Amino acid sequence: MDDSFIGNLKESVNRLTPTSIAISVAVLVCSLIAIWLQNGSSTPKELRNLRREGVSSSNMNDQNDTKYDLAENSGNSGPISVKAIFVHPIKSCAPVELHRAQLIKSGFVWDRCFALATEVNRAESEGGPIWRFISQRTKPLMSQIKTELWLRPEGHDARSSFDSVGCLVFKFPDPDPLSLLDQLKALLFSQQKEISAFVPLSPDENYLKNHGITMKKFAIHSREAEGLDLGNAPSIAAALPKLKRFLNIPEHQNLTLLQCTPHTLVPTEKNLAPLEHIGKPAVHGYTDQQPVNVNSLASVHAVSALLPKENQPLNALRFRANIWITGAPAFDEETWKRYRVVPKQQDAASPSLSVVCRTSRCTLPNVNPLTGRFDTDNPHGDRTRGNAQPSSTLVKHRTVEDGNPRALGYLGMHCVPENAGLQQATGSVESLYVQVGDEIEVLERGVHLYGSTANDY
């Protein structure tokens, strides 16, 4: 080795001060810690060989753009098209946005197929304890429970014995004080510590038997529902105590996660679609009423313009629709009786849907999906609290019918998949899908009144 190089190296070492050495060592140690911490958050083995479904960037990022301002009764701005698609795997929790979603008789696959429920004590004279679903109406922090769908890619062998279809993952902020290690992670990566849990989407008999998972009845509003009680699934059982603390559920009150099965689907009971179009009566899982919900960005913009300035712009995701459309004037969808989704993909089956009624709103849209808190406008005069928003505005400006006296205004439309598209897909290799960018063809228009159709056939 060249003597001059060795001499220069010795001279450089001699110039190092204790401070510079300490800084270098600290940087090296921090780098090693960062690598170790990141490796500690690797994908669980149950999710390996699975692919997380969803879009890389939300199609709703530009939802507030003025190009979607289409006044009521104005002309179309072009073709009516599908702007975004969402499924909500756990009822009332955060959604999963998809580029393409499979449509079946009961709605979109994996939409509202799980629900959280608590056990409520009642007097024996009233029937004793009962399990009831919970939602953002009483637990607004449910909006902060993120959900993920991990599915096995088509054509891949079921190398994981955990589930042949895939897994549901849900995550929520850890409600407990952070350890020093977690504080270090938060400092280095600017990430909030999360608790995560997962369950198979299609648990087999062995899984159910091994973990003592059985069917449980519970109430969704006034109707009785039923599902697999997943509270004993190892990952769920470990997460439930922290989930109770996060949602401010008393420690003594029981909480569980329930899963809908094909055998627990129930027929719709109100606003029935014509059998001539849907074939057999519509069925749904844990949705409030109908299998599919469609809404329009132009309609949300029109409502947003009516809100107090402090409540603008209105986030469309408060309304939890499955299909978001653009290109139609505000509230045009309220005149639709039937529509067809025209696929971008050639030779694909074309879904058609019957529109059965307006969506009567409740207090849930008052929950800000970004914060998990109820929103109000600024209080006036001697008031210490403002009016709930957007409910107050919806009641004032969007009580456009009297079909449901309990409605806090109306926005969005309930739909039922029609038989033609489902049969077309049955005779094809490809299933029935709705995809972002598909166009909407309105087949029939008419007048809607909530509850005006018969409640039986």
Side-chain angles (χ1 to χ4, degrees):
M1 187 176 291
D2 189 88
D3 290 340
S4 62
F5 173 78
I6 295 175
N8 291 335
L9 182 61
K10 288 181 178 179
E11 186 177 347
S12 299
V13 171
N14 291 333
R15 283 203 299 265
L16 288 174
T17 65
T19 301
S20 62
I21 293 174
I23 292 174
S24 300
V25 171
V27 170
L28 177 61
V29 170
C30 287
S31 299
L32 292 173
I33 291 175
I35 293 171
W36 174 64
L37 291 174
Q38 283 185 314
N39 288 339
S41 58
S42 59
T43 303
K45 67 178 186 302
E46 289 85 357
L47 303 182
R48 294 169 192 168
N49 305 320
L50 302 179
R51 180 181 64 204
R52 182 179 172 182
E53 298 297 305
V55 298
S56 57
S57 178
S58 175
N59 292 301
M60 297 290 275
N61 282 340
D62 68 341
Q63 63 165 295
N64 298 320
D65 196 304
T66 55
K67 67 184 177 183
Y68 302 121
D69 290 343
L70 293 176
E72 187 174 6
N73 298 321
S74 65
N76 292 1
S77 66
I80 305 171
S81 61
V82 176
K83 167 70 172 170
I85 302 169
F86 290 86
V87 294
H88 305 76
I90 303 179
K91 184 176 177 66
S92 216
C93 293
V96 174
E97 184 176 356
L98 301 172
H99 178 69
R100 188 176 81 145
Q102 185 181 356
L103 187 65
I104 57 177
K105 181 73 173 178
S106 57
F108 285 108
V109 174
W110 310 125
D111 185 50
R112 276 94 168 181
C113 55
F114 294 85
L116 289 165
T118 55
E119 189 175 26
V120 180
N121 288 324
R122 295 188 308 179
E124 290 299 327
S125 59
E126 298 176 355
I130 185 175
W131 285 83
R132 291 189 183 279
F133 92 109
I134 57 174
S135 75
Q136 293 180 36
R137 276 165 280 205
T138 57
K139 302 295 179 185
L141 284 175
M142 287 180 68
S143 63
Q144 306 305 295
I145 301 176
K146 296 183 290 189
T147 56
E148 299 173 0
L149 290 171
W150 291 71
L151 304 182
R152 190 170 307 285
E154 291 184 19
H156 284 221
D157 294 333
R159 288 175 287 175
S160 168
S161 60
F162 188 67
D163 189 72
S164 60
V165 176
C167 290
L168 166 76
V169 177
F170 67 89
K171 301 177 179 180
F172 57 93
D174 190 341
D176 297 333
L178 297 181
S179 66
L180 289 176
L181 182 60
D182 291 327
Q183 292 180 46
L184 180 59
K185 282 186 178 182
L187 181 65
L188 290 175
F189 306 118
S190 300
Q191 291 180 345
Q192 188 176 26
K193 183 186 177 184
E194 291 182 322
I195 303 301
S196 63
F198 50 85
V199 287
L201 288 170
S202 182
D204 60 24
E205 289 298 325
N206 286 334
Y207 185 89
L208 300 179
K209 182 178 179 181
N210 290 340
H211 300 297
I213 295 173
T214 57
M215 301 298 292
K216 183 185 290 293
K217 295 183 185 297
F218 68 108
I220 297 180
H221 301 303
S222 60
R223 72 177 175 92
E224 184 179 77
E226 191 174 9
L228 290 170
D229 182 354
L230 300 173
N232 288 335
S235 180
I236 303 299
L240 285 179
K242 282 183 178 284
L243 183 57
K244 285 202 286 188
R245 291 195 288 276
F246 176 68
L247 295 176
N248 297 311
I249 295 172
E251 187 176 349
H252 67 269
Q253 188 172 24
N254 291 323
L255 171 70
T256 196
L257 179 71
L258 296 133
Q259 181 179 9
C260 186
T261 73
H263 303 293
T264 60
L265 298 174
V266 296
T268 56
E269 296 178 345
K270 296 179 180 179
N271 301 297
L272 303 179
L275 288 180
E276 63 179 296
H277 299 309
I278 68 168
K280 296 179 181 178
V283 293
H284 63 123
Y286 295 156
T287 59
D288 281 352
Q289 185 185 138
Q290 303 288 347
V292 177
N293 190 268
V294 65
N295 211 327
S296 164
L297 274 189
S299 301
V300 172
H301 279 224
V303 172
S304 183
L306 299 170
L307 290 171
K309 291 296 182 183
E310 62 267 24
N311 299 110
Q312 298 179 12
L314 180 60
N315 188 341
L317 299 188
R318 291 172 182 257
F319 298 100
R320 303 177 65 78
N322 296 119
I323 302 173
W324 284 99
I325 63 162
T326 57
F331 314 121
D332 182 69
E333 67 278 6
E334 296 187 356
T335 69
W336 301 0
K337 282 290 191 177
R338 298 177 59 226
Y339 65 95
R340 184 170 76 95
V341 179
V342 182
K344 291 174 60 177
Q345 182 180 339
Q346 288 187 345
D347 302 324
S350 178
S352 58
L353 296 96
S354 288
V355 185
V356 294
C357 66
R358 293 182 177 90
T359 306
S360 56
R361 308 312 317 197
C362 61
T363 59
L364 197 148
N366 296 331
V367 178
N368 187 330
L370 301 180
T371 65
R373 297 178 180 177
F374 287 107
D375 277 348
T376 65
D377 54 25
N378 293 334
H380 297 287
D382 296 332
R383 297 186 60 182
T384 58
R385 181 175 174 81
N387 296 311
Q389 293 293 357
S391 285
S392 296
T393 297
L394 288 169
V395 169
K396 182 177 180 179
H397 296 281
R398 291 295 304 155
T399 305
V400 292
E401 60 161 272
D402 58 3
N404 183 359
R406 300 173 64 183
L408 300 180
Y410 295 84
L411 191 68
M413 303 301 290
H414 284 306
C415 314
V416 175
E418 292 188 348
N419 212 31
L422 296 171
Q423 287 184 333
Q424 187 182 359
T426 301
S428 169
V429 176
E430 186 76 10
S431 299
L432 191 63
Y433 287 93
V434 177
Q435 182 171 312
V436 171
D438 286 349
E439 294 186 3
I440 301 291
E441 177 188 359
V442 181
L443 301 175
E444 184 181 333
R445 294 181 183 267
V447 177
H448 286 283
L449 177 62
Y450 187 96
S452 63
T453 59
N455 291 337
D456 60 60
Y457 288 107

